Amino acid sequence: MADDLVNVQIDGTWHQFPKGTRMIEACRQAGVEVPHYCYHPKLSSPGNCRMCLVEMGMPPRPKPGEELARDEDGRLPIQWMPRPVIACANTVSENLGIRTESALTKSCREGVMELLLINHPLDCPICDQAGECRLQEFSVEHGTGGSRFREDKVKKPKNVDIGPRVRLDDERCIMCSRCIRFTAEVADDPVLGFTERGSHTTLAVHPGRRLENNYSLNTVDICPVGALTSTDFRFQMRVWFLKETESICTGCGRGCNTEVSSREGSILRQTPRENNEVNSTWMCDQGRLDFHYVNSEARLTQPLLKGSEGHRAVSWEIAVKTLADKLAGFESSKIAIIASARLTNEDLYLVRRLAQQLGVKELDVIARFGEDDGYLVAADRNPNSRGAVLVLGLDSDPGSRISGIRRDIESGKIAALLAIGEDLTSPEGGFSPALLSQLEFLGQIHHTANATADAAVVVLPGATSFEKSGSMVNVTGRLQRLAPVVPLPGEAREDWLILRDLLQALDGGNGAGSSDEVFTLLAHEVSAFEGRTLASISPLGEVLIETGETVPLLEREKGRIAKGEIVG
Amino acid sequence: MALVVRRPQLKWWEKIYLPVIAKGLVITMRHFIRTLTGRTKVTMQYPEEKWNDQLPEHYRGAPALVTDEQDRERCVACQLCEFICPPRAITIIPEEIPSEDKWAKVEKRPLAFNIDMIRCIYCGLCEEVCPEQAIFLRKDYAITGESRAEMVHDKARLYEVGGRRVGLVNKWNDLK
Amino acid sequence: MDFIALAISAVKIVGLVFLVIMPMVAYAVWAERRVSALIQDRVGPNRVGFQGLLQPVADGLKFILKEDFTPKNVRTGYYWLAPALTMVPALLTCAVLPFGSQLFGEPMVIANLNAGPLFIFAIASLSVYGIVLAGWASNSKYPFLGGVRSTSQMISYEISLGLSIIPVLMILGDLNLGRMVQDQSVNGWLMLPLWGDRFSLKGLLLLVPVVISFVVFTVSMFAETNRLPFDLPECETELVAGYHTEYSSMKFALFFLGEYAAMIIGSGLAVTLFFGGWSLPFGWLSWDGKADIPWWQGLIHMATFFGKVVVFILFFIWVRWSLPRFRFDQLMRLGWVFFFEIAVINIILTAGIMMLVK
């Protein structure tokens, strides 16, 4: 491999890089950030923003018969080019020199910044991008601080409705074309493009089309300025108030890595986090916006017990005791437990312990299937089906016993049912309220009020995936971590904690004090998890089992990297 | 290098304290008499005498929001004051200006703008940081209330105190 | 003892304590605040009533209305007892003070004891228990330190206090405070021997030990009443508020009032011993205790006594706002190394003068 490495001088020091590395990436690896707008490692490099201009030099071409003098390290002298080059589209070669801080580079950046700001409206006080805006950052770092432009700025359309989830402000656009390339190259829905020329260049959506594909919000992420903003997050909160928590999306089995932004206990947005084994740097709109239910009014905040006059709030002690006493009062063959593949491995492990304690055989999760969209959305819409199979030790496909349980309830074979993290009356659950009313006892642990809870005798308020720590296994068999983003509302508790208390009330207590300890117990019992701890799971997750499944979007990306179209 | 502190060498009559004590008593008695006979000018008697007309131009009293010549609320809810506020007295909930509004081009305005005057320390950083010249510290200093809720100045109250301010930079002019 | 004598005693007790001492305490606080303000070029409380004269009423009302808070970890019984133990001795000592000569044939003293000064010292030394108990029962480090400091300070200064008045007793040759005042009324005050028997070589020579006595007595009195410059038990900079840190409402008020009551009684004692009590200077309207005197003369005597006490209280206040606080080691050094010796030598000096000069 040594043949593939070339020597490159960056700001006076020599480094080695594989041949063909983009200059901008070489600089990044050498610890020098070259400012850029249009360049994105996952997209092609048109080189149209000119922000990444650097000074480049190569060994002079020797006269015929002349031998260039090498210094003591064997390096040839570098002859600097009089004009700068763009670092994003050029690759490194042997004995190449790059200057990122020279007077020429600095004056280039100042010039580019001044030109970019000519028509930029400077409405930072109202712009959502302020605080994470590359134009702001580079203006401070590389700009001159003043403008010599005395004429009127070009007026362009503002607040343009280009799609259901994205708003366009053309005055703020700096024509980097990232969004155009994303829609064309990644989302395969090329609806964006430039119209007009020169100062009047305008980003526009194709006549008669709208930016409404399921990946449209990624354009908001990659837009370096505030031209494209999310309708959902628009004017909700300034980004400098946000607290970022690294977690994963639980919308489907893909388990896209996310960064969840919250302030003072309420979630405001969710953005993708780069993980080249799961979701690259992208995420679907559906999963991204699937957090509003956390702040919903319908959240359960207190343990409820059904009496003659409907549900009333009781203390946790009474609620858990009642649930334990009721369950213990039935023969084990008359009880069924329906858990959820939306629960974490830790929750599911305690469900398994609960089933063992009660001697319950009828144990399953609700299956959810949709269509694989060929990008990121997986056919399995449960985030932890793999984990459920592994942890619960199901001997058949998840969801295959549900119809049997339904029949047994009808025939009266099953008299008591505990639903954990699932609304059984949902379309996937398929239980009718009439069927549930045939049960002698129904208990539920869930985070939000639902029809099953209406029928349940005991309802315990659980946590959403944004409020608990734990782990899940995605469709490709990757073990990933969830982190609590916001505190639980009211008296609601994390599901593992509720299950632990329930186990203790049934005299099957294990004394686990945290989800980490539950994971350790799980690792002792389930061989696939052996030797791992919750804290040891890398922020990017780690492979737990081989499933042979691939991510279509990642496969295409790999192909483009191989062809040299993108850096990756 | 230790620093040697030179203590004064006391005379015998200083060591027995009594003469110096007498001297001290004389000094305090002089002050007593001067104040009693009104020769020393003492504190302003606050509720009866006020210094409103003597307040300097840069006096920092209660913060308030202002409107411009055309009665547009200058604040665009950028929340920089909320960010800079050392005691976190300011809370802003932004909202989008509806498209049928006269000032729809400004796009954003505060839905709620609360300053907790119990927390406010009158530092003036909000005025200094404001990019829209929308918040000013007024000369009002007697901010009182009978409940905590009353001490939270809401948007209406802030505009009432601030009023209209003319002659500022008009960013949202017709060219915009 | 018949009913009439009891009733007269009761009238005297109630009259003295509730009509004179208590209002005096209240207005001593007001005076303290006004005088300190004037010394410091301020105004002081001048809002409630004319010149703030109703301020003590407002203060009292405030103390009563405040939450009476008992902390969780205190020894409740002792904690509640302590404030009373500081207030009661201060009021008890006024029993033997002759606050006037005679009114309608009745001597103006509650208990005409033949061991007045001894009674006062015996009772006054009890007030240290209040402070010790407060410091200990509060179960908190600052009150504890304050209590410990107070104990050592009060015990130390009681010795020089007691020794300092022995020359006075020697010169007057009596332990009955009433007769001591009558003697001074006729024969000249100890501190002003300018008429009667004392206007002689012996009397003037004795002025030297009397002045020394007076200085030691006054300074020790400051220390006994925990007032600046000796207020180390409640020194704010070190001990928050000393022994009464954990007290609030009326319990704190009792400590506060106890301190001022002790100050008034101390002033009364100093006036009685050194400045001829109720008597006017230069033998005007003097009374030797034998024949009855008209009622208006008795009233003048009473007014004289309280006038002198007021002057003394103002002196207390003046000193407080002039001098800085002592360090604790300086305080103990002053008590044990100087005042104790000075008082002892002063006794010998007095005895020498009395023996040698006829």
Side-chain angles (χ1 to χ4, degrees):
Chain A
M1 288 298 282
D3 298 344
D4 291 303
L5 290 178
V6 292
N7 292 300
V8 180
Q9 190 202 50
I10 297 172
D11 291 339
T13 48
W14 288 90
H15 302 268
Q16 284 195 316
F17 300 102
K19 204 171 181 176
T21 307
R22 305 272 173 109
M23 282 162 67
I24 199 167
E25 286 295 318
C27 290
R28 190 181 58 78
Q29 286 167 32
V32 181
E33 202 216 356
V34 179
H36 57 274
Y37 292 113
C38 70
Y39 170 76
H40 191 284
K42 308 284 180 183
L43 301 172
S44 60
S45 307
N48 57 357
C49 76
R50 316 313 287 178
M51 192 62 201
C52 64
L53 287 169
V54 292
E55 208 177 346
M56 185 182 90
M58 294 174 98
R61 180 175 294 196
K63 288 173 197 152
E66 187 193 354
E67 193 66 27
L68 289 173
R70 288 178 181 267
D71 65 7
E72 58 267 29
D73 296 325
R75 316 270 190 231
L76 292 167
I78 293 172
Q79 193 174 39
W80 295 96
M81 290 186 172
R83 298 207 179 95
V85 298
I86 48 171
C88 66
N90 285 293
T91 55
V92 294
S93 59
E94 179 59 31
N95 222 331
L96 183 85
I98 301 172
R99 282 176 179 168
T100 65
E101 295 299 326
S102 66
L104 176 69
T105 326
K106 277 189 172 156
S107 67
C108 282
R109 287 174 186 169
E110 281 176 11
V112 170
M113 275 315 303
E114 197 173 345
L115 289 168
L116 283 177
L117 288 170
I118 276 182
N119 282 318
H120 194 82
L122 299 183
D123 54 356
C124 304
I126 59 164
C127 175
D128 269 335
Q129 192 79 5
E132 53 183 10
C133 173
R134 307 297 258 174
L135 202 61
Q136 275 185 334
E137 289 165 18
F138 294 151
S139 179
V140 171
E141 285 172 43
H142 308 292
T144 51
S147 174
R148 288 168 286 175
F149 188 71
R150 295 283 166 269
E151 292 78 6
D152 291 336
K153 297 194 176 205
V154 175
K155 291 192 77 169
K156 288 183 193 174
K158 288 179 84 74
N159 205 355
V160 189
D161 182 17
I162 59 167
R165 292 174 291 276
V166 181
R167 203 67 74 87
L168 168 68
D169 186 310
D170 260 315
E171 284 187 351
R172 294 179 192 151
C173 178
I174 57 164
M175 270 59 79
C176 74
S177 79
R178 274 181 175 187
C179 50
I180 299 174
R181 281 174 282 142
F182 172 80
T183 50
E185 297 168 14
V186 180
D188 301 322
D189 181 30
V191 293
L192 294 174
F194 286 136
T195 60
E196 310 289 334
R197 299 187 61 186
S199 285
H200 298 273
T201 309
T202 307
L203 177 71
V205 70
H206 189 280
R209 299 282 302 275
R210 272 158 72 80
L211 179 62
E212 53 195 359
N213 68 64
N214 197 22
Y215 293 86
S216 64
L217 278 171
N218 290 300
T219 59
V220 175
D221 294 339
I222 58 175
C223 181
V225 293
L228 295 170
T229 50
S230 158
T231 314
D232 181 64
F233 182 63
R234 188 175 161 86
F235 299 157
Q236 291 303 301
M237 189 51 62
R238 305 318 303 248
V239 295
W240 51 76
F241 289 116
L242 299 178
K243 185 186 96 179
E244 282 94 10
T245 314
E246 293 189 348
S247 192
I248 56 168
C249 173
T250 55
C252 75
R254 184 69 58 216
C256 290
N257 287 211
T258 60
E259 197 173 74
V260 190
S261 303
S262 61
R263 187 189 183 201
E264 288 170 10
S266 60
I267 301 173
L268 291 152
R269 71 170 176 187
Q270 192 171 205
T271 45
R273 177 161 58 94
E274 183 170 355
N275 186 341
N276 290 325
E277 302 299 323
V278 181
N279 58 320
S280 184
T281 53
W282 320 117
M283 185 177 183
C284 74
D285 293 358
Q286 198 189 344
R288 185 197 291 257
L289 299 177
D290 187 23
F291 62 83
H292 290 287
Y293 70 96
V294 177
N295 300 337
S296 138
E297 289 287 311
R299 286 295 300 274
L300 295 167
T301 55
Q302 277 179 312
L304 302 172
L305 206 59
K306 197 174 197 169
S308 50
E309 289 147 25
H311 286 100
R312 65 188 166 87
V314 292
S315 74
W316 270 104
E317 287 73 24
I318 292 171
V320 170
K321 184 91 187 13
T322 312
L323 182 54
D325 290 349
K326 292 271 189 192
L327 289 173
F330 288 95
E331 269 176 55
S332 58
S333 61
K334 299 203 108 175
I335 310 175
I337 297 178
I338 297 178
S340 171
R342 287 172 164 175
L343 296 173
T344 63
N345 295 326
E346 292 74 14
D347 300 337
L348 290 167
Y349 169 72
L350 292 175
V351 171
R352 169 189 163 138
R353 289 280 300 266
L354 181 68
Q356 284 168 354
Q357 178 71 26
L358 291 167
V360 171
K361 296 284 180 299
E362 294 298 328
L363 169 67
D364 205 352
V365 297
I366 304 262
R368 271 187 189 79
F369 281 99
E371 215 169 293
D372 188 324
D373 71 345
Y375 296 92
L376 286 172
V377 180
D380 181 0
R381 298 290 158 85
N382 274 330
N384 198 20
S385 295
R386 302 273 182 200
V389 172
L390 283 172
V391 177
L392 293 180
L394 299 176
D395 45 16
S396 50
D397 281 344
S400 54
R401 304 178 81 120
I402 297 292
S403 53
I405 293 174
R406 267 200 295 266
R407 271 198 307 279
D408 287 348
I409 294 172
E410 241 168 289
S411 66
K413 247 175 95 183
I414 286 173
L417 180 62
L418 178 61
I420 304 167
E422 283 290 359
D423 175 15
L424 301 177
T425 58
S426 65
E428 300 90 356
F431 287 74
S432 65
L435 185 65
L436 292 176
S437 65
Q438 291 184 24
L439 286 161
E440 281 177 43
F441 175 78
L442 174 63
Q444 196 196 23
I445 302 175
H446 204 272
H447 49 73
T448 308
N450 57 75
T452 310
D454 284 342
V457 178
V458 180
V459 184
L460 302 179
T464 66
S465 58
F466 292 95
E467 290 153 348
K468 54 173 138 188
S469 64
S471 63
M472 287 187 176
V473 184
N474 78 353
V475 285
T476 58
R478 204 173 178 81
L479 179 64
Q480 305 194 103
R481 237 183 338 180
L482 272 175
V485 177
V486 287
L488 285 155
E491 292 176 33
R493 287 184 181 175
E494 288 189 46
D495 296 15
W496 72 266
L497 194 66
I498 302 170
L499 289 163
R500 183 202 68 177
D501 289 350
L502 182 58
L503 271 169
Q504 273 173 345
L506 286 165
D507 208 25
N510 56 60
S514 65
S515 49
D516 295 68
E517 285 178 34
V518 179
F519 188 92
T520 309
L521 292 170
L522 162 70
H524 281 302
E525 216 162 304
V526 182
S527 57
F529 293 88
E530 208 176 321
R532 295 174 202 267
T533 64
L534 188 57
S536 75
I537 303 173
S538 135
L540 295 178
E542 48 199 46
V543 177
L544 186 76
I545 47 168
E546 291 295 341
T547 61
E549 265 197 56
T550 55
V551 188
L553 189 141
L554 291 183
E555 292 308 307
R556 280 199 294 283
E557 223 166 66
K558 279 176 196 155
R560 298 185 70 206
I561 295 170
K563 278 192 264 176
E565 287 175 5
I566 60 170
V567 172
Chain B
M1 281 300 286
L3 182 73
V4 180
V5 179
R6 290 195 187 282
R7 304 274 181 205
Q9 288 293 314
L10 297 180
K11 302 279 183 321
W12 69 268
W13 50 269
E14 284 171 327
K15 279 184 185 164
I16 62 167
Y17 296 130
L18 291 176
V20 255
I21 287 176
K23 204 169 147 189
L25 289 173
V26 168
I27 290 172
T28 47
M29 182 53 83
R30 201 186 300 144
H31 274 271
F32 177 80
I33 291 166
R34 286 180 69 91
T35 317
L36 193 66
T37 53
R39 272 181 289 168
T40 305
K41 184 149 170 46
V42 290
T43 331
M44 196 177 260
Q45 294 295 299
Y46 169 63
E48 292 87 17
E49 303 168 39
K50 284 180 179 164
W51 55 315
N52 291 3
D53 50 337
Q54 300 163 44
L55 285 175
E57 259 318 293
H58 52 266
Y59 183 80
R60 301 198 309 253
L65 294 173
V66 300
T67 51
D68 69 1
E69 284 92 337
Q70 298 153 67
D71 288 328
R72 178 185 72 84
E73 49 179 314
R74 294 191 70 97
C75 178
V76 297
C78 75
Q79 295 180 289
L80 278 174
C81 48
E82 180 175 356
F83 182 66
I84 201 85
C85 183
R88 295 197 190 181
I90 302 177
T91 319
I92 301 167
I93 301 171
E95 75 169 339
E96 186 167 359
I97 300 180
S99 53
E100 65 272 13
D101 194 281
K102 188 183 161 201
W103 294 103
K105 66 179 178 184
V106 184
E107 291 187 70
K108 200 179 173 192
R109 69 183 174 197
L111 173 69
F113 195 120
N114 292 326
I115 303 183
D116 188 344
M117 292 310 295
I118 302 174
R119 285 189 159 208
C120 178
I121 57 169
Y122 304 91
C123 65
L125 284 179
C126 48
E127 177 179 338
E128 201 171 314
V129 82
C130 184
E132 298 282 335
Q133 294 181 298
I135 188 163
F136 288 91
L137 265 64
R138 307 294 306 228
K139 290 184 179 177
D140 312 54
Y141 53 83
I143 309 297
T144 55
E146 288 177 355
S147 65
R148 280 170 190 272
E150 210 178 307
M151 289 299 284
V152 176
H153 285 186
D154 61 3
K155 197 170 119 173
R157 174 105 179 81
L158 290 169
Y159 276 116
E160 182 193 316
V161 177
R164 176 195 278 193
R165 191 125 171 171
V166 297
L168 301 172
V169 174
N170 198 353
K171 255 170 93 169
W172 299 97
N173 52 25
D174 296 334
L175 288 172
K176 191 74 188 175
Chain C
M1 186 86 67
D2 57 356
F3 175 76
I4 301 208
L6 269 177
I8 289 172
S9 276
V11 167
K12 281 195 278 195
I13 291 169
V14 170
L16 185 65
V17 172
F18 291 99
L19 297 182
V20 183
I21 304 281
M22 285 307 208
M24 260 178 111
V25 166
Y27 279 91
V29 179
W30 174 82
E32 176 105 52
R33 293 173 65 181
R34 282 314 294 262
V35 169
S36 67
L38 291 173
I39 285 176
Q40 295 169 350
D41 298 350
R42 294 184 286 114
V43 184
N46 64 343
R47 293 276 150 184
V48 192
F50 174 71
Q51 287 294 309
L53 276 171
L54 290 179
Q55 186 70 37
V57 181
D59 283 348
L61 204 64
K62 189 191 80 172
F63 272 127
I64 291 165
L65 292 178
K66 280 217 167 188
E67 185 192 356
D68 192 356
F69 182 76
T70 304
K72 194 175 143 201
N73 293 320
V74 299
R75 292 291 290 262
T76 317
Y78 295 118
Y79 178 84
W80 281 63
L81 186 64
L85 270 187
T86 50
M87 185 70 180
V88 168
L91 293 179
L92 265 184
T93 45
C94 71
V96 292
L97 273 186
F99 53 89
S101 53
Q102 200 190 32
L103 201 59
F104 307 117
E106 192 61 42
M108 279 297 104
V109 59
I110 294 169
N112 197 8
L113 282 190
N114 280 329
L118 299 185
F119 175 82
I120 287 180
F121 290 146
I123 299 297
S125 61
L126 286 178
S127 67
V128 71
Y129 288 104
I131 290 172
V132 170
L133 275 184
W136 176 74
S138 290
N139 192 14
S140 162
K141 49 186 171 294
Y142 293 121
F144 179 73
L145 285 173
V148 168
R149 275 188 182 187
S150 178
T151 322
S152 55
Q153 175 180 328
M154 289 178 90
I155 288 173
S156 306
Y157 277 85
E158 247 162 38
I159 292 169
S160 42
L161 192 70
L163 288 175
S164 70
I165 65 156
I166 286 178
V168 176
L169 304 181
M170 285 162 71
I171 295 165
L172 294 176
D174 204 332
L175 273 174
N176 183 309
L177 286 169
R179 284 202 294 277
M180 284 161 85
V181 175
Q182 287 160 16
D183 188 325
Q184 291 187 64
S185 160
V186 176
N187 298 323
W189 302 352
L190 284 187
M191 286 289 283
L192 195 72
L194 295 180
W195 68 93
D197 287 354
R198 288 213 177 80
F199 190 52
S200 61
L201 178 66
K202 184 180 168 188
L204 291 171
L205 269 179
L206 279 172
L207 194 56
V208 175
V210 166
V211 167
I212 294 173
S213 236
F214 175 68
V215 170
V216 174
F217 178 85
T218 313
V219 174
S220 302
M221 205 51 160
F222 276 115
E224 279 290 294
T225 51
N226 291 329
R227 277 184 68 86
L228 247 148
F230 303 112
D231 69 337
L232 291 139
E234 47 188 296
C235 162
E236 300 92 343
T237 43
E238 296 159 21
L239 298 179
V240 186
Y243 55 87
H244 58 65
T245 304
E246 307 288 344
Y247 284 86
S248 57
S249 184
M250 271 318 280
K251 289 213 265 310
F252 166 74
L254 281 184
F255 278 118
F256 196 65
L257 299 180
E259 184 189 315
Y260 279 87
M263 184 171 104
I264 291 167
I265 305 301
S267 305
L269 190 61
V271 165
T272 307
L273 291 175
F274 295 98
F275 291 95
W278 44 259
S279 62
L280 290 162
F282 306 111
W284 295 334
L285 300 174
S286 67
W287 184 59
D288 57 7
K290 291 188 181 84
D292 282 356
I293 51 169
W295 60 271
W296 55 269
Q297 203 177 328
L299 282 182
I300 287 176
H301 284 155
M302 255 166 88
T304 312
F305 177 78
F306 288 113
K308 286 176 184 175
V309 170
V310 165
V311 170
F312 225 84
I313 289 170
L314 288 175
F315 174 69
F316 261 80
I317 293 170
W318 179 25
V319 168
R320 172 169 176 178
W321 295 98
S322 300
L323 301 186
R325 183 181 293 131
F326 275 71
R327 217 166 55 210
F328 196 69
D329 64 314
Q330 292 171 331
L331 173 88
M332 295 314 263
R333 197 173 132 85
L334 193 69
W336 285 102
V337 179
F338 294 105
F339 285 175
F340 180 58
E341 279 79 352
I342 289 172
V344 171
I345 292 166
N346 199 29
I347 294 169
I348 297 165
L349 181 68
T350 316
I353 292 171
M354 287 177 76
M355 196 173 73
L356 296 176
V357 186
K358 291 293 167 194

